[in-house]
Amino acid sequence: RERFVIRPKHSLRASGPLRLTDAKVSPNKVFYGTRSATLSYVISSGQPANDLRVDVVSPTGQVMQSFFPTAVPPNTTQTLAWNGTGFDGKPVPDGWYAFRVSSADGQATLRARASNAPDLGVAVFGFIFPVRGRHSFGGPANAFGAARSGHTHQGQDILAACGTKLVAARGGTVQYAGYQGAAGNYLVIDQKGSGEDNAYMHLIAPTPLRAGDKVATGQYIGNVGQTGDATACHLHFEVWTAPGWYEGGQPYDPLPLLKAWDKYS
C-alpha cells in the first residue's frame, strides 16, 4: 500500500556547505514502551536557518520513520526523540536502526550511517529478561512440562537469590495481582499488542501493582522470593497464548524466549 509522508512546503537553500559536525544517539538500546532514543546533533551552515530531514532506517535501508526539523540554526545542539514506532504508529520489528540526516528534500545526505555505526544507531527490542541479576534455569525439574503432583509444570523456573529485582518482560495491563497457596505472591500481565499473558510467581512480597495498572516493558514489578509452594528462591514464569491466562489460552514453553531475551538484555 502506498505511503505518503508530509514534507515541508519550502526548503531553505544553504548558501554555504551544510555539514553535520557532531551527532550521537542515547541510549543505544531501548525496549518497547520505555524511554525513547534521542538523537543529538549539530550542523554547520552558511545561513542562520536550515530545514532538514532525519530518517530512521533499517539495516537494509528501509525508512521506518521520518522527521522534518525546520529553521535549524548552525552550531547549536539540537535533539529529537524516536519512540520505536513506524509510520503506522506500531512498534518496529526487533533489530538495529540508524538515524540518517539530510537536507529537507532528502537529496544531500549530511551523514548516512548503516548498522555498523553505533554512534548513530539504536537497538530496539520488544521484550526484556525479567530477572535483573545472576540467575540460572536449573535442571529438568525446573522446566516446562516437568512432573508435579497431580499436574505438570506450566512454566519455567529462573533460579536467583531472594530479593533479586524483577521487571516486566513486556508492558501491558496487570490482569491479576495477589496471593495463592501454590503461586505465592504473584501477578499476571496482559501483554500489550499480542493478547498473550505473562505470569510471575513466588515473589518475596506482594507486588506494588494492582489489577488494572498499566505497566511498561522493564518496569519494576517486585523481587524474587520463595512464597507459596516453592523449595528455593526463584521466579516461576509463564507465557499463555491469547486470549490469556485461564481465559481460553494455553501455556507454552517460555525457555526459548527467555534465552533469547537473556542474550541481549
Side-chain angles (χ1 to χ4, degrees):
R1 188 173 62 183
E2 188 173 4
R3 183 164 54 210
F4 296 93
V5 179
I6 299 175
R7 296 178 172 83
K9 293 182 178 179
H10 303 286
S11 297
L12 297 175
R13 182 175 299 174
S15 58
L18 185 60
R19 296 190 181 94
L20 190 64
T21 59
D22 189 26
K24 65 179 180 180
V25 178
S26 180
N28 292 118
K29 181 190 297 184
V30 296
F31 296 92
Y32 173 68
T34 59
R35 59 181 175 169
S36 300
T38 299
L39 170 68
S40 301
Y41 65 96
V42 179
I43 64 167
S44 65
S45 174
Q47 64 181 28
N50 305 267
D51 289 350
L52 304 176
R53 171 174 178 157
V54 180
D55 293 320
V56 179
V57 298
S58 71
T60 61
Q62 180 182 1
V63 177
M64 311 302 292
Q65 186 60 271
S66 297
F67 303 89
F68 295 92
T70 58
V72 176
N75 307 315
T76 303
T77 300
Q78 305 293 313
T79 61
L80 62 84
W82 177 53
N83 64 1
T85 60
F87 289 107
D88 59 1
K90 297 180 180 179
V92 298
D94 286 6
W96 185 265
Y97 298 88
F99 289 87
R100 183 176 65 195
V101 184
S102 63
S103 58
D105 58 10
Q107 299 301 310
T109 300
L110 307 187
R111 190 174 184 177
R113 293 295 187 116
S115 60
N116 62 351
D119 58 326
L120 286 187
V122 56
V124 179
F125 298 107
F127 294 82
I128 187 172
F129 191 76
V131 178
R132 310 311 298 161
R134 295 183 62 180
H135 60 273
S136 74
F137 295 110
N142 303 107
F144 179 86
R148 293 289 189 269
S149 179
H151 66 284
T152 57
H153 199 220
Q154 293 185 323
Q156 172 66 47
D157 293 336
I158 307 171
L159 281 63
C162 276
T164 303
K165 179 181 176 181
L166 297 174
V167 300
R170 172 80 171 201
T173 304
V174 177
Q175 186 171 340
Y176 298 102
Y179 185 92
Q180 194 266 346
N185 295 308
Y186 79 103
L187 76 158
V188 178
I189 297 177
D190 186 3
Q191 290 183 18
K192 184 175 182 179
S194 74
E196 295 193 344
D197 289 348
N198 296 140
Y200 307 77
M201 300 180 183
H202 308 306
L203 277 61
I204 197 169
T207 177
L209 302 169
R210 296 292 179 266
D213 286 350
K214 302 297 182 182
V215 185
T217 303
Q219 180 177 330
Y220 170 76
I221 60 172
N223 300 83
V224 171
Q226 194 178 339
T227 57
D229 186 9
T231 57
C233 297
H234 71 281
L235 169 68
H236 172 91
F237 181 78
E238 297 180 3
V239 182
W240 287 64
T241 61
W245 192 70
Y246 291 108
E247 294 179 315
Q250 297 293 325
Y252 64 91
D253 186 2
L255 186 58
L257 295 174
L258 289 166
K259 286 183 174 180
W261 304 340
D262 199 14
K263 286 182 179 180
Y264 63 69
S265 297

